[in-house]
Amino acid sequence: MAHLWQVWLPCLVTLLVALSLPNSQARVTIENSVRSAVFFSPEFVLGPGSVENKFYYDIGFPRGHIALKDFNAEVVDEVGNPIPLHETYLHHWVVYRYYQRKGVEVQEANDTDLIKVRNSGLCDNGLWQYFGSGSETRRTATHVPDPYGIEVGNPAEIPPGYEEKWLLNVHAIDTRGVEDRLGCTECRCDLYNVTRDENGEPLSPGYTGGMECCHYQTQCRLKEGFESVKRSLFMRYTVKWVDWDTSIKPVKIFVFDVTDTWKKVDASTGHATEHHCLVEYDVESCSAAGETNDGCTDSRRVNLTMPTGGSVIYGVGHQHTGGIGSTLYGEDGRVICSSIPTYGEGSEAGNETGYIVGMSTCYPYPGSVKISTGETLVLVSNYSMGRQRHTGVMGLFSILVADASPVEKHAVMTISVFLWGVAFLFGIAIAIAVVAVVYRKWRARKTGYQSITT
């Protein structure tokens, strides 16, 4: 009996410790000074064809003055099994940062009690997230390379009487047993039998598909007679961070949208149109566009002026099914970053056939890709038109930009010194060789001997 107690006591202690942790946090690990924690969103329940699209305030998140290094997320069931996209389609997830007045509950908060902490640009009417992704989330790199980090939790930036918190939005669609899986994931209004948006307002004339038709608790049409059970799901997300110190180089987050209706400042009036981003758009089929080639492409582009410049250290695009890649160009036509989707080829989570399961990313050498303040950038988003019309697609692009740092300057200086050193040594070698040849010729004339190697 004593032996059994010795065996079970450590297990009991471990269980009690685990139960004492916050529900959203599984554990914190530390590796090479980088801390990592796994969190879970509140539970959401989906049945076949149903939609989750809620905002969860004050989610589990690292606290304090830190530098964020990575953020990954996926949908799992109640025992932690990853859910494939052909069962629950992850339309998108986004994480926002905000300040909340102390002592005020979210349900009772007014406009002054909650302060948005936006990224650095550019959309005025949305897209103020710090992190976000969609179906590509499992196979898209998101880490911030050293010595850079996304600075949060700086006490000097938090208004007196407020505290920093985080908000999560999950938009997921259960497509088990639906009549048209692609139509449901693209939120075609006829499949949802929706004529009004989530605020009860009539849809705009000609609006046939998009997020206005697959809002919270809408239902996509099922195959006749299909029955299945509801299930509990969670967004599991992993955050990595380090404590803030002066050796870390802060980066700014910029999110661009190919549907941005922004226009340049009118020099005569000084008036500028706001960056009103539509976020989504439709892609017609080749036949509807008057084309007969199955390989025809819908190419959208927008010119955007960069408010502040710096060195690009990361870039990635976001597209939906049908996307074939997006590219951000500089004013002189140089490629700043090109992001290409990977489509799945199987049935397991992370490799689902027909879905975008990853987006390629850019990690330029520090200081090698720079954007000037006021430079006009060009964002291009390409979709394959084919025979299928696509509704509610997106053409977003995110980059992380750092000010020119001592690290970058040191790297450039090191390369310059190295090249000058190589040139100097090469010059010395040539000079020695020339002197040697001249000496041999002079000696040959003095002795009457002519070398066969000269």
Side-chain angles (χ1 to χ4, degrees):
M1 180 68 71
H3 175 70
L4 291 175
W5 179 247
Q6 290 172 353
V7 172
W8 284 102
L9 180 58
C11 297
L12 179 60
V13 171
T14 301
L15 177 61
L16 291 174
V17 170
L19 292 175
S20 69
L21 291 173
N23 292 333
S24 63
Q25 182 173 331
R27 69 181 186 276
V28 176
T29 59
I30 302 176
E31 183 177 352
N32 296 328
S33 77
V34 177
R35 302 187 182 194
S36 178
V38 180
F39 300 89
F40 292 83
S41 74
E43 173 191 34
F44 54 94
V45 179
L46 288 179
S50 62
V51 178
E52 158 73 5
N53 192 14
K54 291 179 66 176
F55 289 84
Y56 300 104
Y57 287 83
D58 194 17
I59 60 171
F61 206 86
R63 306 296 177 177
H65 192 188
I66 60 176
L68 299 175
K69 299 291 292 182
D70 207 350
F71 193 111
N72 293 289
E74 64 174 340
V75 175
V76 298
D77 63 18
E78 54 191 347
V79 295
N81 296 318
I83 303 299
L85 294 169
H86 52 74
E87 293 183 10
T88 298
Y89 178 71
L90 186 55
H91 187 280
H92 70 262
W93 61 265
V94 285
V95 174
Y96 304 99
R97 180 183 173 208
Y98 69 100
Y99 299 140
Q100 182 173 336
R101 192 187 300 276
K102 295 179 181 179
V104 176
E105 298 297 328
V106 170
Q107 298 81 357
E108 304 170 353
N110 56 38
D111 292 340
T112 62
D113 294 326
L114 301 178
I115 303 174
K116 295 179 180 178
V117 185
R118 306 178 62 89
N119 55 46
S120 296
L122 292 176
C123 299
D124 295 313
N125 60 314
L127 300 178
W128 52 284
Q129 68 264 23
Y130 268 55
F131 300 98
S133 190
S135 66
E136 73 274 19
T137 186
R138 290 187 176 104
R139 293 173 59 179
T140 301
T142 57
H143 70 276
V144 182
D146 292 334
Y148 304 100
I150 301 171
E151 183 183 10
V152 299
N154 187 347
E157 297 178 353
I158 301 175
Y162 287 78
E163 54 188 338
E164 181 181 87
K165 295 192 176 184
W166 295 83
L167 165 67
L168 171 67
N169 170 230
V170 180
H171 189 182
I173 304 170
D174 192 317
T175 58
R176 293 174 296 164
V178 297
E179 184 179 289
D180 181 347
R181 181 174 282 123
L182 179 61
C184 289
T185 62
E186 294 187 336
C187 302
R188 273 180 33 198
C189 300
D190 60 329
L191 291 173
Y192 285 88
N193 194 28
V194 169
T195 58
R196 294 179 178 272
D197 64 20
E198 60 184 344
N199 298 316
E201 298 296 327
L203 299 177
S204 302
Y207 188 87
T208 59
M211 290 186 291
E212 298 292 349
C213 290
C214 58
H215 45 82
Y216 179 56
Q217 290 188 331
T218 51
Q219 175 72 42
C220 198
R221 188 186 307 155
L222 300 176
K223 296 176 183 177
E224 187 174 355
F226 180 84
E227 293 183 5
S228 185
V229 297
K230 295 182 179 180
R231 62 182 176 187
S232 297
L233 301 175
F234 304 83
M235 178 66 75
R236 179 174 63 195
Y237 54 101
T238 303
V239 187
K240 295 183 179 181
W241 74 97
V242 296
D243 292 331
W244 184 263
D245 66 53
T246 55
S247 67
I248 301 169
K249 309 305 174 187
V251 295
K252 296 178 180 178
I253 304 170
F254 289 91
V255 180
F256 308 121
D257 181 11
V258 78
T259 68
D260 193 340
T261 59
W262 176 87
K263 295 179 181 179
K264 285 188 175 181
V265 174
D266 186 329
S268 61
T269 64
H271 176 73
T273 303
E274 291 184 348
H275 285 271
H276 183 76
C277 298
L278 304 178
V279 182
E280 57 182 7
Y281 62 100
D282 295 342
V283 173
E284 299 295 337
S285 64
C286 283
S287 57
E291 301 285 347
T292 57
N293 180 8
D294 288 342
C296 57
T297 301
D298 178 281
S299 186
R300 302 289 177 97
R301 65 175 54 216
V302 64
N303 294 350
L304 300 162
T305 298
M306 192 69 171
T308 57
S311 297
V312 178
I313 66 159
Y314 172 81
V316 67
H318 171 68
Q319 293 186 312
H320 289 190
T321 300
I324 54 177
S326 54
T327 303
L328 185 66
Y329 296 93
E331 194 167 80
D332 56 0
R334 73 191 186 285
V335 174
I336 293 173
C337 178
S338 185
S339 186
I340 309 300
T342 296
Y343 283 85
E345 300 176 341
S347 59
E348 67 275 17
N351 189 36
E352 301 92 332
T353 299
Y355 295 89
I356 293 180
V357 296
M359 294 292 295
S360 67
T361 55
C362 300
Y363 285 96
Y365 185 82
S368 64
V369 177
K370 294 184 178 181
I371 300 175
S372 302
T373 299
E375 181 175 356
T376 299
L377 308 180
V378 180
L379 174 60
V380 178
S381 177
N382 294 318
Y383 274 80
S384 175
M385 298 168 73
R387 297 186 178 92
Q388 175 72 50
R389 182 174 189 259
H390 297 287
T391 60
V393 305
M394 294 184 181
L396 308 181
F397 211 99
S398 302
I399 60 174
L400 298 180
V401 178
D403 292 335
S405 67
V407 172
E408 295 169 2
K409 293 175 182 176
H410 176 70
V412 173
M413 183 179 297
T414 300
I415 293 174
S416 300
V417 171
F418 173 76
L419 293 176
W420 276 108
V422 170
F424 178 72
L425 294 176
F426 185 68
I428 291 177
I430 292 177
I432 292 173
V434 170
V435 169
V437 170
V438 171
Y439 175 75
R440 284 198 299 269
K441 289 184 176 181
W442 173 80
R443 185 172 179 79
R445 287 197 298 270
K446 295 284 289 183
T447 61
Y449 170 76
Q450 180 67 46
S451 171
I452 63 174
T453 60
T454 59

